Amino acid sequence: MPTLLFVIGIIVAASGFISPPLALAAGILYALLVPHAYPAAAHRISKILLQVSVVGLGFGMDLHQVIRAGRSGFGYTAISITVALVLGWALGKLLRVEKTTAFLISTGTAICGGSAIAAISPITEASEEEIAVSLGTVFVLNSVALFAFPAIGSWLHLSQSQFGLWAALAIHDTSSVVGATARFGALALAVGTVVKLARALWIVPLSLGTAMVKRSRSRVQWPWFILLFCLAAVANTYMHTFDRAYPLLKHLGVIGLTVTLYLIGTGLSLKTIRTVGPRPLLQGLLLWIAVGAGSLALIRMGWISL
């Protein structure tokens, strides 16, 4: 029964008949009702499928828009990442969260959620429990963000550009940024994806810096899919010979994202929530609220814009 429901969920998510948020909700419902049929495989596939899907979305982007948003977003992300890391360290110390766990949660909040945690954890020599707690914290908050952000954006009458920028600065994972902005509008999706990918690039310097401090020889994981996303935007902007193929590739990217969110949702079980525990979750929640509220206030005041 769990296997059958799992497969049916994938088929429905890939059908194109449901939105990314609904796919996430279906995945969470599956996780809460039945034991997961293939938890390890779902985790591996969702990670790869997310990267492929982001590349697919690149075929719907204009390179000039990518460069403009990326250039503007780079400075904002540098400041927001620094503030998030410092504030995360302070909250972790205040709440007496284990040092490595606190750093991983801060890193996931500051840069790009699970991807950043996966890249940093080998360098910090984190245990499986510390990684699980950090990923669980970020994952729970990501699930909330995917539903809450579009509702808040509509309530505050944010423009699509404002919402895309806010989502990119305040939501952890790339998948949730794309899912939330896709629900808000095409321009929000374009802005959110580009700025989020500019933010994800900070995985590299942070990994190198952490390795130097820890004197670790662990291999730094380079986010190659970001380069492929940019190449897809180059093709869409300049290589008009294949114009008929680009909408299909973009559509496949959206389908891939929907399936990714379903797979991610299937990993959110009561066991995951119990594993996280109150203090790391509180650290992640307070840090997320501070980053989200602070960036939203600056965007509404016009201090941050594209």
Side-chain angles (χ1 to χ4, degrees):
M1 188 65 167
T3 301
L4 178 61
L5 290 175
F6 181 72
V7 173
I8 290 174
I10 292 177
I11 293 172
V12 172
S15 67
F17 293 123
I18 64 172
S19 64
L22 282 178
L24 177 68
I28 294 174
L29 185 63
Y30 170 88
L32 295 177
L33 292 179
V34 298
H36 202 310
Y38 307 102
H43 176 72
R44 287 195 302 270
I45 293 171
S46 65
K47 184 178 179 181
I48 296 170
L49 188 57
L50 169 62
Q51 296 179 355
V52 174
S53 300
V54 167
V55 175
L57 292 173
F59 287 103
M61 299 289 179
D62 182 274
L63 181 63
H64 305 296
Q65 185 181 51
V66 169
I67 293 173
R68 185 170 59 252
R71 185 172 57 239
S72 301
F74 194 79
Y76 303 144
T77 54
I79 295 171
S80 68
I81 286 169
T82 302
V83 171
L85 288 174
V86 172
L87 185 57
W89 170 81
L91 285 170
K93 206 168 183 61
L94 179 66
L95 296 170
R96 292 179 294 174
V97 178
E98 197 280 325
K99 188 182 296 185
T100 301
T101 301
F103 180 63
L104 292 178
I105 291 172
S106 302
T107 300
T109 304
I111 301 180
C112 56
S115 300
I117 292 172
I120 295 293
S121 55
I123 300 172
T124 60
E125 298 179 352
S127 67
E128 289 188 9
E129 182 181 4
E130 290 166 339
I131 296 171
V133 168
S134 305
L135 288 173
T137 300
V138 167
F139 183 56
V140 169
L141 298 178
N142 259 321
S143 302
V144 174
L146 192 58
F147 294 104
F149 269 59
I152 295 172
S154 298
W155 178 55
L156 294 175
H157 304 291
L158 297 180
S159 68
Q160 289 201 29
S161 179
Q162 286 178 320
F163 183 80
L165 182 56
W166 180 44
L169 294 176
I171 298 178
H172 307 76
D173 277 337
T174 304
S175 57
S176 293
V177 172
V178 176
T181 53
R183 189 177 172 188
F184 206 80
L187 179 58
L189 173 62
V191 171
T193 302
V194 173
V195 176
K196 181 61 182 178
L197 293 181
R199 184 177 166 194
L201 284 171
W202 285 90
I203 289 177
V204 176
L206 184 61
S207 296
L208 292 172
T210 304
M212 290 176 63
V213 172
K214 293 284 186 179
R215 297 182 181 179
S216 171
R217 295 184 180 180
S218 297
R219 184 180 173 185
V220 174
Q221 299 180 28
W222 297 85
W224 292 110
F225 74 99
I226 297 176
L227 173 61
L228 295 176
F229 168 85
C230 294
L231 291 177
V234 169
N236 182 57
T237 306
Y238 295 112
M239 298 177 65
H240 299 296
T241 307
F242 306 103
D243 276 353
R244 291 185 178 179
Y246 298 146
L248 174 61
L249 292 171
K250 179 189 174 183
H251 178 68
L252 290 175
V254 174
I255 294 296
L257 172 69
T258 307
V259 176
T260 299
L261 290 174
Y262 169 74
L263 292 174
I264 289 174
T266 61
L268 183 61
S269 62
L270 292 175
K271 181 181 177 182
T272 302
I273 297 173
R274 284 195 297 267
T275 300
V276 170
R279 285 188 294 179
L281 186 58
L282 182 58
Q283 180 209 357
L285 177 62
L286 292 175
L287 180 58
W288 181 50
I289 290 174
V291 171
S295 57
L296 177 60
L298 293 174
I299 289 170
R300 295 196 73 194
M301 290 188 293
W303 290 13
I304 297 179
S305 62
L306 293 179

